[in-house]
Amino acid sequence: MTAQLLTFYLFSGVILISSLMVISTKNPVHSVLFLILSFLNAAGLFVILHAEFLAMILIIVYVGAVAVLFLFVVMMLDFKTSINKDNILQYIPIGILIGVVFVAELVIVLINTKFDLSNIQVLPNPLSDFIGKSNTEAIGSVLYTDYILYFQLSGVILLVAMIGSIVLTLREREGVKRQAVSEQLQRQGKIDLVDVKSGKGVDI
Amino acid sequence: MISLAQTYFIEVMTIILYCLLIFVPLLLGVVMALYADRKIWAAVQKRRGPNVVGPYGLFQVPADGLKFIFKEIILPDGSDKTVFLIAPIITLALSITAWAVVPVQAGVVLANINVGILYIFAISSLGVYGILMAGWSSNSKYPFFGALRSAAQMVSYEVSIGFVIITVLLCVGSLNLTEIVMAQKTMWFFIPLFPMFIVFFISALAETNRPPFDLPEAESELVAGYQTEYSGMPFVLFLFGEYINILLMCAMTTILFLGGWLPPIDIYPLNAVPGFVWFLLKVIFVFYLFAMVKAFVPRYRYDQLMRLGWKVFLPLSLFAVVATSSILFFFNLAPGM
């Protein structure tokens, strides 16, 4: 138990520090790197909760794909000119506002929930139906049966977003030559292998 | 605190010992892989390859390593020095970390976790950060272009690798690597899933930046890609990380398609051989294929690489997922049904 507690404090401590660094470093690339660090440690917290499937998905989706795109975009910005120290103060009121709203929401949720801290061992296996199953199996058996509609719906929303962004950025330019690979490969009969005699050359 | 230390001291020490048991053979494997790579490449081109240092040139790689260690570490003036030095460490650390779940024999694995294959997939998707950080922090044009190319390439081919893994998982019904191997007791998966085996092999080449997909370090256009500004020890870390990743992909091909540590036929003289020997032989065979591809195939153009990833492999592997699951469903072959 003590080791678990120590790792919990390690992970959550690193999350807090790196989240703070995300908003306080001046270099946007460093911010993204700290964001990735906090994602990774959140995955560590999932592992402590025995939710290893969620942990791996968090790493694959957020760190392996989404954050790479973040980094990709941020890396190409010329950030040396875009940072202005005076701007930082003007964001503080709205930041405080968001923080207050967030804390209020948390308090509302926590007031209505009863926590039985003495029986904390039940947390990793909350539902009796899934005892003895790996959590990949448990998530799958719920996600693809009871919540199939929501699952499909979120898939469709993502698809629409993807198609939308492609349509918005698609532009046909005049005079662009493209390679037609299948046509090239099918061009039989127009290719000859010619044995060139030395000194005589070949007619084309 | 004293009792805590006593409780965990032995445990921590055994874990460190196990880690060394993975790390030391891995380092040896990388040295041999580097040597084999150069020898095979040379043999295809009718050269001798390394043959001066030691018998048959066997000590060439350690000698190179020694040279790199004693070289000066040059930090470019305009570079982001912290990120510049962290990048190779991340590359090497991640590539070693992935080996924690690779089973070399029945029960011989450091961490037999339930989501082993996802873990390896996650770790290898993190590998792109070492390259991106190296390219950006060098503050130089060639490394930057190399990093951008590499990131796009690795993210693209990860998609098809993911789908290939899903087809295998459909046939196994578990994410545990040991169970994936045991599911191949009757038939290795490269027979029923042969097209996926090919897709996985080619995607693995692209994922590890091996020729013919080594555009991130295409020396004819980008000097050395993301490694351009590196010298001495950080460069060795990149080199080792890259080769450990290659060996990992060989091991993954072995586990997913070639039956891991299982003998080809379950009869007496073959199944008396210890499992890790079979595993090692298969990994060496796949690495031999990797090396031969490097020797044979000319480098792809970048747009062709992207076309292959998104327009050929992605639809193909997506179709394979649907086809495999349909076949398994209609013939009642799906595990757990």
Side-chain angles (χ1 to χ4, degrees):
Chain A
M1 205 60 202
T2 331
Q4 208 175 10
L5 213 61
L6 281 176
T7 35
F8 170 75
Y9 283 128
L10 177 75
F11 283 138
S12 44
V14 173
I15 288 179
L16 288 178
I17 292 168
S18 58
S19 309
L20 211 62
M21 294 302 282
V22 171
I23 52 171
S24 63
T25 49
K26 285 177 185 160
N27 191 330
V29 175
H30 290 179
S31 297
V32 178
L33 292 175
F34 277 116
L35 186 68
I36 292 159
L37 188 63
S38 64
F39 279 156
L40 282 176
N41 284 282
L45 285 184
F46 272 130
V47 172
I48 294 179
L49 283 172
H50 296 255
E52 66 260 15
F53 182 76
L54 283 182
M56 293 305 141
I57 293 297
L58 180 75
I59 292 181
I60 291 170
V61 174
Y62 281 93
V63 185
V66 175
V68 170
L69 293 179
F70 275 8
L71 199 60
F72 217 85
V73 173
V74 170
M75 264 169 48
M76 287 193 269
L77 297 175
D78 187 18
F79 52 80
K80 277 174 194 127
T81 55
S82 67
I83 289 169
N84 194 346
K85 259 203 159 178
D86 306 332
N87 277 346
I88 294 169
L89 279 177
Q90 92 186 36
Y91 292 123
I92 283 181
I94 198 161
I96 290 173
L97 188 71
I98 293 172
V100 166
V101 169
F102 195 62
V103 169
E105 281 176 349
L106 272 181
V107 167
I108 291 168
V109 172
L110 288 180
I111 284 173
N112 293 327
T113 317
K114 277 182 191 165
F115 277 112
D116 188 6
L117 286 176
S118 59
N119 198 8
I120 207 159
Q121 284 298 329
V122 299
L123 273 176
N125 292 312
L127 294 175
S128 57
D129 297 355
F130 302 121
I131 287 173
K133 283 186 179 177
S134 71
N135 60 55
T136 316
E137 220 176 326
I139 288 175
S141 59
V142 175
L143 193 62
Y144 291 97
T145 53
D146 298 350
Y147 298 100
I148 182 72
L149 270 179
Y150 304 100
F151 184 66
Q152 294 279 345
L153 196 66
S154 57
V156 170
I157 289 170
L158 285 174
L159 186 70
V160 168
M162 191 177 78
I163 294 174
S165 60
I166 291 173
V167 168
L168 284 176
T169 54
L170 185 74
R171 56 193 171 122
E172 290 284 340
R173 276 180 295 180
E174 294 289 319
V176 177
K177 289 180 178 169
R178 288 183 192 280
Q179 186 185 17
V181 176
S182 55
E183 268 178 47
Q184 278 185 352
L185 292 175
Q186 283 165 1
R187 201 160 53 181
Q188 295 289 329
K190 292 178 183 170
I191 301 167
D192 295 321
L193 273 179
V194 182
D195 204 6
V196 183
K197 292 274 182 327
S198 151
K200 286 184 179 171
V202 61
D203 292 330
I204 299 173
Chain B
M1 279 314 274
I2 295 165
S3 64
L4 182 76
Q6 278 171 343
T7 324
Y8 290 111
F9 180 74
I10 297 170
E11 214 169 317
V12 169
M13 279 298 144
T14 28
I15 290 174
I16 289 174
L17 186 74
Y18 283 141
C19 291
L20 282 178
L21 273 179
I22 292 179
F23 185 60
V24 173
L26 209 53
L27 273 188
L28 209 65
V30 168
V31 168
M32 290 326 288
L34 272 160
Y35 173 74
D37 208 17
R38 292 173 69 176
K39 269 293 194 195
I40 293 167
W41 201 9
V44 172
Q45 298 173 342
K46 291 201 167 182
R47 294 185 286 113
R48 280 169 192 270
N51 65 346
V52 176
V53 190
Y56 303 104
L58 268 172
F59 299 149
Q60 180 68 52
V61 178
D64 283 348
L66 217 60
K67 183 190 77 175
F68 277 125
I69 289 169
F70 287 116
K71 270 189 168 181
E72 185 189 354
I73 298 172
I74 298 167
L75 294 173
D77 207 28
S79 69
D80 188 322
K81 293 181 180 64
T82 325
V83 182
F84 187 79
L85 285 177
I86 288 175
I89 297 172
I90 284 184
T91 305
L92 184 71
L94 283 176
S95 54
I96 296 170
T97 317
W99 277 87
V101 296
V102 174
V104 294
Q105 197 176 339
V108 183
V109 53
L110 178 61
N112 190 12
I113 60 176
N114 273 330
V115 286
I117 188 89
L118 276 182
Y119 173 80
I120 286 190
F121 192 60
I123 297 289
S124 71
S125 73
L126 290 182
V128 69
Y129 283 108
I131 291 170
L132 268 178
M133 286 162 78
W136 174 79
S137 65
S138 297
N139 198 10
S140 159
K141 288 180 185 65
Y142 292 123
F144 190 63
F145 273 110
L148 289 185
R149 280 184 176 191
S150 182
Q153 172 181 336
M154 287 168 90
V155 170
S156 308
Y157 279 85
E158 233 156 57
V159 180
S160 56
I161 285 190
F163 281 119
V164 172
I165 288 176
I166 289 174
T167 53
V168 173
L169 293 183
L170 283 171
C171 305
V172 179
S174 169
L175 297 169
N176 187 315
L177 287 170
T178 307
E179 281 177 40
I180 289 174
V181 172
M182 291 322 282
Q184 303 179 55
K185 254 206 150 141
T186 45
M187 190 193 280
W188 294 0
F189 282 148
F190 86 99
I191 301 169
L193 297 173
F194 190 71
M196 289 301 100
F197 175 59
I198 302 292
V199 171
F200 186 83
F201 182 74
I202 298 174
S203 301
L205 289 175
E207 179 78 8
T208 50
N209 296 328
R210 284 285 289 186
F213 305 115
D214 59 339
L215 290 138
E217 40 197 289
E219 56 278 303
S220 54
E221 12 187 312
L222 289 182
V223 191
Y226 61 91
Q227 308 171 337
T228 305
E229 304 291 345
Y230 282 88
S231 63
M233 209 51 206
F235 178 78
V236 176
L237 296 188
F238 266 125
L239 189 72
F240 271 54
E242 204 172 303
Y243 270 81
I244 291 176
N245 265 331
I246 290 164
L247 289 180
L248 179 73
M249 276 301 167
C250 296
M252 286 303 294
T253 316
T254 307
I255 289 168
L256 290 176
F257 292 101
L258 299 177
W261 62 81
L262 298 173
I265 315 163
D266 201 7
I267 51 173
Y268 165 63
L270 291 181
N271 60 20
V273 177
F276 71 89
V277 176
W278 285 118
F279 184 79
L280 205 62
L281 281 177
K282 287 169 186 173
V283 170
I284 289 170
F285 172 70
V286 179
F287 183 79
Y288 174 73
L289 293 182
F290 268 58
M292 288 303 259
V293 169
K294 178 179 181 175
F296 288 162
V297 188
R299 185 176 287 140
Y300 257 56
R301 218 171 56 206
Y302 198 71
D303 62 312
Q304 290 173 332
L305 174 89
M306 281 297 158
R307 180 184 164 273
L308 184 72
W310 289 106
K311 292 190 180 172
V312 181
F313 282 177
L314 180 61
L316 195 69
S317 49
L318 210 73
F319 171 75
V321 170
V322 177
T324 314
S325 45
S326 317
I327 290 171
L328 289 174
F329 182 73
F330 283 115
F331 293 97
N332 255 334
L333 294 167
M337 272 188 65

